[in-house]
Amino acid sequence: MTKTQRMLAAIALAGAAAGLAAPAATAAPLAPLTLPDLPTATPGMPQGAQPRSVQEIGGKLSEGANQLNQLMELPNQLAPVIAPVQPITDLAGGLE
């Protein structure tokens, strides 16, 4: 395809997408989002193991994401500790 043909194809696709999106935008309003019921506790389940609200579940997910972000930053935090011994580890790697 030439550059002109690619440009015309891109314009045609954009026009088609806009044409498809316009009727969807004027459709009936969306129904409000309903959340599912929370699961019930099973016999023998430890106290506090079952979440009491959707907000609590979201909070735990957010806490887990924050811990994952901290784990991803660990190499950057350890760089000042590793930098002084880096030449020794490079030399030891070269001896293998």
Side-chain angles (χ1 to χ4, degrees):
M1 268 182 139
T2 65
K3 186 176 181 180
T4 305
Q5 289 173 329
R6 285 192 304 249
M7 288 174 58
L8 289 173
I11 292 169
L13 285 174
L20 291 174
T26 59
L30 297 174
L33 179 65
T34 58
L35 297 172
D37 293 333
L38 293 173
T40 57
T42 59
M45 191 175 214
Q47 183 67 20
Q50 178 190 10
R52 290 178 292 282
S53 68
V54 174
Q55 289 80 11
E56 185 178 342
I57 294 170
K60 296 223 182 251
L61 286 173
S62 177
E63 180 182 327
N66 287 339
Q67 290 175 353
L68 181 61
N69 285 338
Q70 289 175 357
L71 185 61
M72 296 297 287
E73 289 295 319
L74 187 61
N76 295 337
Q77 295 171 358
L78 291 177
V81 176
I82 296 172
V85 294
Q86 185 70 37
I88 297 168
T89 57
D90 290 344
L91 181 62
L95 294 177
E96 291 182 314

